[in-house]
Amino acid sequence: QVQLVESGGGLVQAGGSLRLSCGFSGRTFSSYFMGWFRQAPGKEREFVAGISWSGASTFYADSVKGRFTISRDNAKNTVYLQMNSLKPEDTAIYYCAARNTPASGYDYWGQGTQVTVSS
């Protein structure tokens, strides 16, 4: 089975930075497309960023373009989300997710890590 464990969440002031990590175990990490999602109170879960199997291609929601960077280290079975210029509206639970095929949805999810951005 695939297991995903997020870390790095916390409290940060607006304009600050935070780096989230997601450890992957159970299968071959490089075979999985990885993504980050977030869910704020009272809102639907939304896509934040995605990264292809090799890391050559990345995708971002318009709301985070230019501020967030997704990356992966296949040698460490870890995907990262570097978040800069954080805004209060970035406050949410952030989830790491994995999918095995490009045609499928995300099959595996972490438990989430809280990111709170104060003004």
Side-chain angles (χ1 to χ4, degrees):
Q1 309 97 318
V2 170
Q3 183 179 5
L4 303 173
V5 181
E6 301 97 334
S7 62
L11 176 65
V12 65
Q13 292 183 331
S17 298
L18 207 59
R19 184 179 179 88
L20 305 183
S21 298
C22 174
F24 177 106
S25 63
R27 293 290 189 272
T28 302
F29 179 62
S30 60
S31 296
Y32 287 80
F33 189 102
M34 302 297 297
W36 287 96
F37 292 76
R38 67 187 182 187
Q39 187 168 22
K43 297 182 179 179
E44 298 288 336
R45 183 185 64 190
E46 65 174 341
F47 171 80
V48 175
I51 187 165
S52 64
W53 305 266
S54 67
S57 299
T58 57
F59 309 88
Y60 298 95
D62 288 342
S63 60
V64 305
K65 284 182 178 178
R67 300 189 298 120
F68 290 12
T69 302
I70 188 171
S71 62
R72 67 191 295 163
D73 186 338
N74 286 351
K76 296 182 178 180
N77 289 0
T78 303
V79 62
Y80 305 93
L81 185 67
Q82 178 67 46
M83 304 184 292
N84 298 327
S85 302
L86 283 162
K87 305 174 181 179
E89 51 262 45
D90 294 319
T91 295
I93 300 175
Y94 283 71
Y95 297 92
C96 178
R99 70 184 188 193
N100 186 237
T101 65
S104 70
Y106 286 87
D107 302 304
Y108 305 100
W109 297 84
Q111 293 302 117
T113 185
Q114 178 70 47
V115 172
T116 302
V117 184
S118 65
S119 59

